[in-house]
């Protein structure tokens, strides 16, 4: 099949998807607008009054003045008497029109501020409540860019409706209402030409809409590439890959230029066609004005109104061209976040789900099956997996990389949902309880420390925001972090930098451990929590962790077997299955997989 035929066959679905996304974008924007309908109605009314009074009231009164002047001369001493009512009417019209103008400004600002808050909240909730699988497949920078564009798109759409489109409707109404009784033939011809103009503009708008979505997608990809390079700038510099990253960025940047150029040429073509229609309209009005008095006996005042109103409505229709272009840009910019808002949550609470109540902390994995899906490829991680962890038991999970250790902890936290089976905490199925209540009962310290661009004190207290400064200091001390924190110039008020970049790996990890200590949850999950510590710090932190784990259910994922050697029980995983299970000494004596792993590691110790 020729390439052009393929392109034509693919174009219709693309436009169809664009139409669907546009409707969904309008749905979300309407949800926000409906909450502030009083402001929206006030804005529409103020715009209608402003246009009617200043654009049509003034010319109409002036036409009456012209007709009166043309009828017969007015003596100097009768000017105020004859024209006084017209002067008063003009003053009243302008006072009311300017008042409507300021009311328009006020309602516009208030609605934009209120809507921006609601849209930001809507986007934040959608992103925060999506699964880790969702976030793993997307650039963080792209998500930020899509959120910003989504909020800006509402503002652009509102301003476009308020300024080009509502005045156009007003123009048509008042032009027909005032001129139709006087020159009906002219009004009919004018309306036909304006209908052709509107139809051509709309048709070309529909053709360009998908080009705007493609341009917005390219912009989002560019933001993602920039974010990815900046977030990993240390790797870029240490491997001397600046040129490579610049090449990736340049490729994305050129794609933006290409798609923006296609949109530009399509918009210019639309502008040229509509400009030709505008010329035709002005030619018609010129003919009517030139011969109106001779052919139809049209008064000079009416001729003034005809020209003024036609010129006004034609200008307004010229703005439609620009307005449709802004519509295209708004819907294109909003499309990325609209798709995200429509995307089902892979991990969602059931309606009316109760909070998890942890009394003892017993954990059961019962016949669980879990797999990742990437396109058409399915990777099985667990198939009928079972594991019972009694309350208060300290369990180590070990095994080769890819055995499923970290995945198991994420399933417990419901960062992803299992496809089959049940995970129980004190007999409660975690899938039937709220996610927040589950995670507030589990202190989680991952392999990579998760720190915010905030103070050290705020980072430590993140799981317990009501903690006192003394409690924060105590948690830092127990995590062997107090000494280095107090050496910092601002101490606990030190800003850690994005993702804790201002601290060393070991320091970040101790801050994360201090956070878990302060949270004081009944269940503790440590995923390589001591991997970034030197031997001395590890020894001190393990003492703190040993104290923390007493009386609590603890799951410790570790490659460094010295971390788990003193735990109550060690579970060895391989290919998503339990291959060994027992205390350290028993597993060493068995001479199996655990003993083989132990013998490979140097510097290990037995207690």
């Amino acid at each position: 099949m020729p390439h052009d035929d393929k392109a034509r066959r693919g174009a219709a679905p693309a436009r169809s998807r664009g139409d669907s996304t546009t409707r969904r974008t309008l749905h979300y924007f309407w949800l926000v607008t409906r909450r502030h309908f009083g402001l929206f109605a006030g804005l529409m009314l103020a715009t209608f009054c402003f246009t009617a009074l200043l654009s049509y009231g003034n010319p109409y009164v002036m036409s009456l003045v012209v007709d009166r002047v043309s009828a017969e001369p007015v003596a100097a001493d009768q000017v105020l008497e004859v024209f006084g009512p017209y002067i008063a009417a003009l003053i009243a019209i302008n006072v009311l029109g300017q008042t409507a103008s300021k009311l328009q400004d006020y309602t516009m600002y208030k609605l934009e501020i209120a809507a921006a808050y609601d849209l930001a909240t809507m986007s934040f909730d959608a992103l925060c409540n999506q699964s880790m699988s969702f976030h793993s497949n997307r650039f963080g920078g792209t998500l930020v860019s899509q959120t910003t564009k989504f909020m800006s798109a509402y503002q652009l759409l509102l301003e476009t409706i308020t300024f080009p489109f509502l005045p156009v409707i007003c123009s048509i109404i008042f032009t027909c209402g005032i001129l139709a009784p006087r020159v009906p033939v002219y009004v009919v011809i004018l309306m036909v030409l304006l209908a052709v103009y509107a139809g051509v503009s709309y048709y070309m708008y529909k053709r360009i809409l998908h080009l705007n979505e493609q341009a917005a997608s390219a912009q989002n990809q560019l933001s993602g590439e920039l974010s990815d390079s900046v977030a990993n700038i240390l790797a870029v510099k240490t491997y001397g890959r600046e040129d490579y990253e610049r090449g990736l960025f340049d490729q994305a940047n050129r794609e933006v230029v290409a798609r923006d150029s296609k949109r530009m040429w399509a918009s210019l073509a639309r502008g040229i066609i509509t400009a030709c229609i505008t010329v035709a309209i002005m030619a018609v009005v010129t003919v009517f004005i030139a011969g109106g008095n001779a052919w139809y006996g049209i008064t000079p005042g009416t001729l003034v109104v005809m020209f003024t109103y036609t010129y006004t409505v034609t200008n307004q229709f010229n703005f439609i061209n620009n307005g449709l272009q802004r519509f295209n840009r708004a819907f294109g910019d909003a499309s990325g976040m609209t798709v995200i808002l429509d995307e089902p949550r892979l991990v969602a609470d059931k309606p009316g789900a109760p909070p998890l109540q942890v009394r003892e902390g017993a954990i059961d994995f019962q016949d669980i099956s879990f797999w990742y899906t990437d396109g058409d490829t399915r990777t099985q991680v667990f198939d009928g997996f079972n594991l019972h962890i009694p309350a208060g038991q300290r369990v180590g999970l070990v095994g080769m990389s890819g055995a499923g250790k970290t995945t198991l902890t994420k399933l417990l936290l419901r960062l992803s949902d299992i496809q089959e089976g049940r995970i129980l905490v004190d007999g409660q199925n975690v899938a039937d309880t709220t996610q927040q209540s589950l995670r507030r009962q589990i202190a989680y310290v991952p392999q990579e420390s998760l720190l915010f661009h905030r103070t050290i004190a705020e980072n430590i207290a993140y799981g317990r925001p009501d903690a006192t400064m003394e409690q924060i200091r105590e948690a830092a001390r127990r995590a062997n972090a107090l000494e280095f924190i107090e050496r910092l110039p601002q101490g606990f008020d030190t800003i850690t930098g994005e993702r804790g970049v201002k601290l060393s790996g070991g320091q970040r990890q101790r801050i994360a451990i201090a956070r878990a200590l302060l949270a004081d949850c009944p269940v503790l999950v440590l995923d390589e929590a001591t991997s970034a510590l030197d031997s001395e710090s590890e020894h001190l932190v393990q003492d703190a962790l040993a104290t923390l784990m007493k009386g609590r259910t603890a799951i410790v994922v570790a490659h460094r077997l010295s971390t788990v050697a003193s735990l109550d029980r060690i579970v060895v995983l391989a290919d998503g299955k339990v291959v060994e299970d027992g205390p350290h000494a028993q597993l060493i004596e068995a001479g199996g997989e655990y003993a083989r792993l132990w013998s490979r590691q140097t510097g290990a110790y037995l207690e």
Side-chain angles (χ1 to χ4, degrees), residues 146-167:
Q146 288 172 332
T147 301
T148 303
K149 287 184 176 181
F150 187 65
M151 296 165 60
S152 299
Y154 179 89
Q155 180 178 341
L156 183 60
L157 195 64
L158 183 64
E159 291 175 353
T160 304
I161 291 172
T162 304
F163 296 114
F165 285 97
L166 190 56

Side-chain angles (χ1 to χ4, degrees), residues 91-124:
I91 292 173
I93 285 172
N94 280 275
V95 168
L96 293 174
Q98 292 299 331
T99 301
S101 172
K102 301 314 164 199
L103 181 61
Q104 180 193 56
D105 292 341
Y106 171 77
T107 51
M108 172 74 79
Y109 287 140
K110 287 286 290 183
L111 182 55
E112 285 179 349
I113 292 170
Y117 175 85
D118 289 344
L119 291 169
T121 302
M122 181 189 297
S123 302
F124 181 85

